[in-house]
Amino acid sequence: MMGRNDEYQSKMEFIDLNVFVPSNHILRQINEKIDFSFIYKKMEKYYSKLGIKSLDPVLLFKMLLIGYLFNVDSERELEQEVHLNIAYRWFLGLDLTDSVPDHSIFSQNRRRRYKDSTVFQEIFDHIVKLCIEKGLVTGEVIVTDSTHIKASAAKGKVEKVVVEKTPSKYLNTLELEAKKIERELEKKRIESGKKKSGRKPKGPSTETISKVKTDSDSGLLNRPGKPSGPHYLAHTSIDTKNGIIVDVHPSPGNINDCEPFVERLKVIQEKFDLDIKNVGADRGYDTTPIHHGLKTLEITGYISPIQ
Protein backbone atom coordinates (compact mmCIF):
# COMPACT_ATOMS: atom_id res chain seq x y z
CA MET A 1 0.00 0.00 0.00
CA MET A 2 1.33 3.43 -0.96
CA GLY A 3 1.98 5.66 2.01
CA ARG A 4 1.04 9.36 2.07
CA ASN A 5 2.20 11.99 4.49
CA ASP A 6 -1.15 13.73 4.77
CA GLU A 7 -1.23 13.78 8.55
CA TYR A 8 1.54 16.36 8.99
CA GLN A 9 0.93 18.71 11.87
CA SER A 10 2.98 21.22 13.81
CA LYS A 11 4.76 19.78 16.80
CA MET A 12 7.39 20.81 19.31
CA GLU A 13 10.75 19.03 19.12
CA PHE A 14 14.07 19.26 20.95
CA ILE A 15 16.84 18.96 18.34
CA ASP A 16 20.57 18.48 18.89
CA LEU A 17 22.30 19.80 15.75
CA ASN A 18 25.42 17.87 16.72
CA VAL A 19 23.85 14.55 15.65
CA PHE A 20 23.23 15.87 12.12
CA VAL A 21 26.91 16.65 11.39
CA PRO A 22 28.87 13.57 10.21
CA SER A 23 32.08 12.68 12.04
CA ASN A 24 34.12 13.10 8.85
CA HIS A 25 32.68 16.52 7.94
CA ILE A 26 35.49 19.05 7.42
CA LEU A 27 33.86 21.60 9.74
CA ARG A 28 33.69 19.04 12.55
CA GLN A 29 37.35 18.15 12.01
CA ILE A 30 38.34 21.83 12.10
CA ASN A 31 36.25 22.46 15.22
CA GLU A 32 37.91 19.56 17.03
CA LYS A 33 41.43 20.75 16.19
CA ILE A 34 41.21 24.53 16.65
CA ASP A 35 40.04 26.61 19.62
CA PHE A 36 38.95 29.85 17.96
CA SER A 37 38.65 31.77 21.24
CA PHE A 38 42.10 33.31 20.64
CA ILE A 39 40.40 35.56 18.09
CA TYR A 40 38.68 37.57 20.85
CA LYS A 41 42.04 38.70 22.22
CA LYS A 42 43.32 39.72 18.80
CA MET A 43 40.18 41.67 17.92
CA GLU A 44 39.32 43.40 21.20
CA LYS A 45 41.24 46.57 20.27
CA TYR A 46 38.80 47.16 17.39
CA TYR A 47 35.77 47.39 19.71
CA SER A 48 34.62 50.09 22.12
CA LYS A 49 34.07 49.32 25.79
CA LEU A 50 30.70 51.14 25.56
CA GLY A 51 27.55 50.67 23.54
CA ILE A 52 25.49 47.67 22.48
CA LYS A 53 27.04 44.30 21.80
CA SER A 54 28.45 43.79 18.34
CA LEU A 55 28.35 40.80 16.04
CA ASP A 56 30.50 38.05 17.58
CA PRO A 57 33.94 38.41 15.89
CA VAL A 58 34.54 34.64 16.06
CA LEU A 59 31.25 34.07 14.23
CA LEU A 60 32.33 36.68 11.66
CA PHE A 61 35.64 34.94 11.05
CA LYS A 62 34.02 31.50 10.89
CA MET A 63 31.56 32.76 8.29
CA LEU A 64 34.49 33.97 6.19
CA LEU A 65 36.08 30.55 6.59
CA ILE A 66 32.89 28.80 5.43
CA GLY A 67 32.73 31.08 2.40
CA TYR A 68 36.32 30.22 1.50
CA LEU A 69 36.06 26.46 2.10
CA PHE A 70 32.83 26.04 0.17
CA ASN A 71 33.51 28.61 -2.55
CA VAL A 72 30.73 31.02 -1.58
CA ASP A 73 32.00 34.37 -2.89
CA SER A 74 28.85 36.44 -2.32
CA GLU A 75 27.90 37.76 1.12
CA ARG A 76 24.20 37.59 0.27
CA GLU A 77 24.61 33.98 -0.83
CA LEU A 78 26.68 33.20 2.28
CA GLU A 79 23.87 34.50 4.51
CA GLN A 80 21.36 32.28 2.69
CA GLU A 81 23.61 29.20 2.77
CA VAL A 82 24.17 29.53 6.52
CA HIS A 83 20.42 29.97 7.00
CA LEU A 84 19.71 26.67 5.20
CA ASN A 85 22.70 24.48 6.10
CA ILE A 86 22.61 22.63 9.43
CA ALA A 87 26.37 21.95 9.45
CA TYR A 88 27.12 25.64 8.96
CA ARG A 89 24.77 26.59 11.81
CA TRP A 90 26.37 23.99 14.07
CA PHE A 91 29.89 25.26 13.29
CA LEU A 92 28.82 28.85 14.02
CA GLY A 93 26.99 27.95 17.22
CA LEU A 94 23.59 28.98 15.85
CA ASP A 95 20.42 27.03 16.67
CA LEU A 96 17.70 26.50 14.09
CA THR A 97 15.71 29.42 15.49
CA ASP A 98 18.70 31.82 15.72
CA SER A 99 18.83 34.52 13.07
CA VAL A 100 21.80 34.60 10.72
CA PRO A 101 23.76 37.88 10.58
CA ASP A 102 22.46 40.06 7.76
CA HIS A 103 24.85 40.28 4.85
CA SER A 104 25.10 44.08 5.22
CA ILE A 105 26.18 43.86 8.88
CA PHE A 106 28.67 41.16 7.98
CA SER A 107 29.99 43.24 5.07
CA GLN A 108 30.35 46.49 7.03
CA ASN A 109 32.23 44.77 9.84
CA ARG A 110 34.63 43.22 7.36
CA ARG A 111 35.10 46.35 5.23
CA ARG A 112 35.12 49.10 7.87
CA ARG A 113 36.00 47.84 11.32
CA TYR A 114 39.00 45.83 10.15
CA LYS A 115 39.96 47.94 7.13
CA ASP A 116 43.74 48.50 6.85
CA SER A 117 44.30 46.24 9.86
CA THR A 118 46.51 43.15 10.03
CA VAL A 119 44.11 41.13 12.18
CA PHE A 120 43.25 38.53 9.54
CA GLN A 121 46.94 38.01 8.79
CA GLU A 122 47.55 37.60 12.53
CA ILE A 123 44.82 34.96 12.75
CA PHE A 124 46.25 33.12 9.74
CA ASP A 125 49.77 33.19 11.24
CA HIS A 126 48.48 31.97 14.60
CA ILE A 127 46.90 28.90 12.98
CA VAL A 128 50.05 28.17 10.97
CA LYS A 129 52.05 28.29 14.21
CA LEU A 130 49.61 25.81 15.78
CA CYS A 131 50.25 23.50 12.81
CA ILE A 132 54.01 23.84 13.35
CA GLU A 133 53.63 23.00 17.05
CA LYS A 134 51.69 19.84 16.12
CA GLY A 135 54.33 18.81 13.59
CA LEU A 136 52.00 19.28 10.64
CA VAL A 137 54.33 21.86 9.06
CA THR A 138 58.10 21.31 8.91
CA GLY A 139 59.46 23.58 6.17
CA GLU A 140 61.34 20.65 4.66
CA VAL A 141 59.75 21.22 1.23
CA ILE A 142 57.82 24.33 0.17
CA VAL A 143 56.06 24.63 -3.20
CA THR A 144 54.86 27.92 -4.64
CA ASP A 145 52.62 29.08 -7.45
CA SER A 146 50.36 32.03 -8.19
CA THR A 147 46.81 32.37 -9.44
CA HIS A 148 45.03 35.35 -10.97
CA ILE A 149 42.03 36.97 -9.28
CA LYS A 150 39.80 39.34 -11.23
CA ALA A 151 39.71 42.85 -9.77
CA SER A 152 36.43 44.68 -9.30
CA ALA A 153 37.48 47.41 -11.72
CA ALA A 154 36.48 48.71 -15.13
CA LYS A 155 38.69 47.43 -17.92
CA GLY A 156 38.37 50.66 -19.90
CA LYS A 157 39.29 53.00 -17.02
CA VAL A 158 43.05 52.97 -17.65
CA GLU A 159 45.54 55.80 -17.82
CA LYS A 160 49.19 55.99 -18.83
CA VAL A 161 51.51 57.15 -16.05
CA VAL A 162 55.23 57.94 -16.17
CA VAL A 163 57.06 56.57 -13.13
CA GLU A 164 60.66 56.24 -12.08
CA LYS A 165 62.03 52.90 -13.16
CA THR A 166 63.35 50.88 -10.25
CA PRO A 167 65.71 47.94 -10.77
CA SER A 168 64.82 44.51 -9.44
CA LYS A 169 66.11 43.41 -6.05
CA TYR A 170 68.45 41.04 -7.84
CA LEU A 171 69.99 43.88 -9.84
CA ASN A 172 70.18 45.98 -6.67
CA THR A 173 72.10 43.15 -5.01
CA LEU A 174 74.52 42.95 -7.94
CA GLU A 175 74.91 46.73 -7.86
CA LEU A 176 75.76 46.68 -4.15
CA GLU A 177 78.29 43.91 -4.75
CA ALA A 178 79.83 45.89 -7.63
CA LYS A 179 80.07 49.04 -5.48
CA LYS A 180 81.76 47.07 -2.72
CA ILE A 181 84.36 45.80 -5.16
CA GLU A 182 84.83 49.32 -6.56
CA ARG A 183 85.45 50.72 -3.06
CA GLU A 184 88.08 48.08 -2.44
CA LEU A 185 89.76 48.79 -5.77
CA GLU A 186 89.62 52.54 -5.15
CA LYS A 187 91.24 52.07 -1.77
CA LYS A 188 94.09 50.15 -3.42
CA ARG A 189 94.49 52.88 -6.10
CA ILE A 190 94.75 55.58 -3.43
CA GLU A 191 97.31 53.54 -1.53
CA SER A 192 99.35 53.06 -4.71
CA GLY A 193 99.07 56.75 -5.73
CA LYS A 194 97.05 56.14 -8.90
CA LYS A 195 94.35 58.51 -10.21
CA LYS A 196 90.74 57.99 -9.24
CA SER A 197 88.71 56.01 -11.71
CA GLY A 198 85.49 54.08 -11.78
CA ARG A 199 82.02 54.13 -13.32
CA LYS A 200 80.00 57.26 -13.75
CA PRO A 201 76.84 57.19 -11.68
CA LYS A 202 73.70 56.68 -13.73
CA GLY A 203 70.81 59.10 -13.45
CA PRO A 204 67.26 57.95 -12.72
CA SER A 205 65.38 56.41 -15.64
CA THR A 206 61.64 56.42 -16.24
CA GLU A 207 59.04 54.16 -17.83
CA THR A 208 55.41 54.48 -18.85
CA ILE A 209 52.95 52.09 -17.21
CA SER A 210 49.20 51.52 -17.40
CA LYS A 211 47.33 52.30 -14.20
CA VAL A 212 43.73 51.23 -13.45
CA LYS A 213 41.82 54.31 -12.29
CA THR A 214 39.10 52.49 -10.35
CA ASP A 215 41.50 50.13 -8.52
CA SER A 216 45.04 51.43 -8.50
CA ASP A 217 46.31 48.45 -6.47
CA SER A 218 45.45 46.02 -9.26
CA GLY A 219 47.37 45.58 -12.51
CA LEU A 220 46.51 44.81 -16.12
CA LEU A 221 47.01 41.12 -16.80
CA ASN A 222 48.10 40.49 -20.37
CA ARG A 223 49.64 37.07 -20.88
CA PRO A 224 49.11 34.26 -23.38
CA GLY A 225 46.45 31.84 -22.17
CA LYS A 226 45.31 34.18 -19.37
CA PRO A 227 42.27 36.50 -19.14
CA SER A 228 42.99 40.17 -19.83
CA GLY A 229 42.08 43.20 -17.79
CA PRO A 230 42.55 44.34 -14.16
CA HIS A 231 43.64 41.46 -11.95
CA TYR A 232 45.55 40.55 -8.81
CA LEU A 233 47.93 37.66 -8.30
CA ALA A 234 47.75 35.50 -5.19
CA HIS A 235 51.19 33.98 -4.59
CA THR A 236 50.61 30.90 -2.45
CA SER A 237 53.24 28.77 -0.68
CA ILE A 238 52.41 25.32 0.70
CA ASP A 239 54.29 23.00 3.05
CA THR A 240 54.13 19.63 1.28
CA LYS A 241 54.09 17.38 4.37
CA ASN A 242 50.32 17.86 4.85
CA GLY A 243 49.46 20.35 2.11
CA ILE A 244 49.06 23.28 4.52
CA ILE A 245 49.26 26.83 3.17
CA VAL A 246 51.91 28.82 5.05
CA ASP A 247 51.88 32.07 3.07
CA VAL A 248 49.57 33.97 0.73
CA HIS A 249 50.89 37.19 -0.78
CA PRO A 250 48.72 39.43 -3.02
CA SER A 251 50.28 41.56 -5.75
CA PRO A 252 49.13 43.48 -8.85
CA GLY A 253 48.35 41.21 -11.77
CA ASN A 254 50.92 42.75 -14.10
CA ILE A 255 54.05 41.68 -12.24
CA ASN A 256 55.92 38.49 -12.98
CA ASP A 257 54.98 35.42 -10.91
CA CYS A 258 58.56 35.02 -9.76
CA GLU A 259 59.20 38.56 -8.44
CA PRO A 260 58.04 38.10 -4.80
CA PHE A 261 59.24 34.48 -4.60
CA VAL A 262 62.58 34.78 -2.79
CA GLU A 263 61.37 37.59 -0.51
CA ARG A 264 58.35 35.52 0.61
CA LEU A 265 60.63 32.59 1.45
CA LYS A 266 62.59 34.94 3.71
CA VAL A 267 59.33 36.07 5.36
CA ILE A 268 58.26 32.45 5.98
CA GLN A 269 61.63 31.57 7.47
CA GLU A 270 61.79 34.55 9.80
CA LYS A 271 58.12 34.64 10.84
CA PHE A 272 57.79 30.94 11.67
CA ASP A 273 61.44 30.13 12.41
CA LEU A 274 61.42 27.42 9.74
CA ASP A 275 64.58 26.02 8.18
CA ILE A 276 63.44 25.63 4.56
CA LYS A 277 65.54 22.99 2.82
CA ASN A 278 63.90 22.59 -0.60
CA VAL A 279 61.46 24.51 -2.78
CA GLY A 280 59.54 23.56 -5.90
CA ALA A 281 58.03 25.70 -8.65
CA ASP A 282 57.12 25.61 -12.33
CA ARG A 283 59.20 26.95 -15.21
CA GLY A 284 57.90 30.48 -14.71
CA TYR A 285 60.30 30.63 -11.78
CA ASP A 286 63.35 29.51 -13.79
CA THR A 287 65.12 32.87 -13.70
CA THR A 288 68.62 34.03 -12.78
CA PRO A 289 67.40 36.24 -9.86
CA ILE A 290 65.59 33.28 -8.27
CA HIS A 291 68.53 30.89 -8.61
CA HIS A 292 70.79 33.59 -7.15
CA GLY A 293 68.36 34.19 -4.27
CA LEU A 294 68.01 30.49 -3.46
CA LYS A 295 71.78 30.12 -3.44
CA THR A 296 72.04 33.05 -1.01
CA LEU A 297 69.44 31.44 1.28
CA GLU A 298 71.14 28.02 0.93
CA ILE A 299 67.89 26.46 -0.32
CA THR A 300 67.80 23.76 -3.00
CA GLY A 301 65.38 24.63 -5.81
CA TYR A 302 63.52 22.07 -7.88
CA ILE A 303 62.27 24.23 -10.75
CA SER A 304 61.15 23.09 -14.18
CA PRO A 305 63.61 24.52 -16.72
CA ILE A 306 62.46 26.76 -19.55
CA GLN A 307 62.74 24.74 -22.78
Side-chain angles (χ1 to χ4, degrees), residues 3 21 59 67 93-94 96 113 166 179 202 212 237 259 261 271 291:
V21 183
L59 187 150
L94 298 175
L96 288 178
R113 191 186 301 275
T166 56
K179 287 181 179 180
K202 294 181 180 180
V212 183
S237 297
E259 287 188 36
F261 181 64
K271 184 188 294 183
H291 290 297

Side-chain angles (χ1 to χ4, degrees), residues 22 85 102 118 158 176 199 212 233 269 272 279 293-295:
N85 193 299
D102 184 85
T118 60
V158 177
L176 291 173
R199 299 179 301 165
V212 183
L233 285 177
Q269 284 184 322
F272 303 120
V279 295
L294 293 178
K295 184 178 180 181

Side-chain angles (χ1 to χ4, degrees), residues 67-278:
Y68 174 79
L69 291 174
F70 298 96
N71 198 30
V72 183
D73 55 8
S74 162
E75 287 161 349
R76 289 179 181 270
E77 184 182 351
L78 182 58
E79 178 191 347
Q80 183 178 23
E81 289 297 317
V82 171
H83 180 76
L84 296 173
N85 193 299
I86 289 179
Y88 296 172
R89 282 182 170 273
W90 171 84
F91 183 64
L92 297 172
L94 298 175
D95 292 327
L96 288 178
T97 55
D98 290 336
S99 60
V100 178
D102 184 85
H103 68 272
S104 62
I105 299 175
F106 174 80
S107 176
Q108 295 307 321
N109 270 271
R110 180 180 57 80
R111 292 167 54 194
R112 293 183 178 182
R113 191 186 301 275
Y114 308 120
K115 186 180 179 181
D116 300 325
S117 77
T118 60
V119 66
F120 290 109
Q121 183 67 55
E122 292 171 17
I123 293 170
F124 175 87
D125 292 345
H126 181 92
I127 294 176
V128 172
K129 289 175 181 177
L130 291 178
C131 293
I132 294 172
E133 290 174 7
K134 299 295 184 181
L136 301 175
V137 170
T138 64
E140 182 69 24
V141 181
I142 301 291
V143 294
T144 298
D145 201 0
S146 66
T147 185
H148 58 272
I149 301 173
K150 190 177 185 304
S152 181
K155 187 176 181 179
K157 300 291 185 178
V158 177
E159 60 181 346
K160 298 292 184 179
V161 180
V162 177
V163 297
E164 184 175 334
K165 189 175 183 179
T166 56
S168 67
K169 291 185 178 181
Y170 170 65
L171 293 179
N172 276 334
T173 301
L174 296 184
E175 184 70 16
L176 291 173
E177 292 176 355
K179 287 181 179 180
K180 182 179 179 181
I181 294 172
E182 281 185 5
R183 285 194 297 268
E184 293 174 354
L185 291 175
E186 190 63 33
K187 184 178 179 181
K188 291 180 180 179
R189 292 191 190 100
I190 294 174
E191 292 174 351
S192 62
K194 293 182 180 180
K195 292 183 179 180
K196 183 178 180 181
S197 61
R199 299 179 301 165
K200 292 182 179 179
K202 294 181 180 180
S205 58
T206 61
E207 62 179 337
T208 302
I209 63 171
S210 297
K211 191 171 183 180
V212 183
K213 293 181 180 180
T214 50
D215 188 352
S216 59
D217 292 328
S218 65
L220 290 176
L221 185 64
N222 186 22
R223 301 182 196 171
K226 302 287 186 181
S228 61
H231 282 77
Y232 287 91
L233 285 177
H235 306 266
T236 305
S237 297
I238 298 173
D239 185 275
T240 60
K241 183 174 182 181
N242 289 286
I244 293 175
I245 297 173
V246 294
D247 185 67
V248 179
H249 176 69
S251 74
N254 59 345
I255 75 164
N256 195 295
D257 291 354
C258 66
E259 287 188 36
F261 181 64
V262 174
E263 191 62 31
R264 297 315 299 176
L265 291 176
K266 292 180 184 177
V267 170
I268 295 169
Q269 284 184 322
E270 294 171 2
K271 184 188 294 183
F272 303 120
D273 194 26
L274 288 175
D275 183 16
I276 300 175
K277 300 292 187 183
N278 309 283

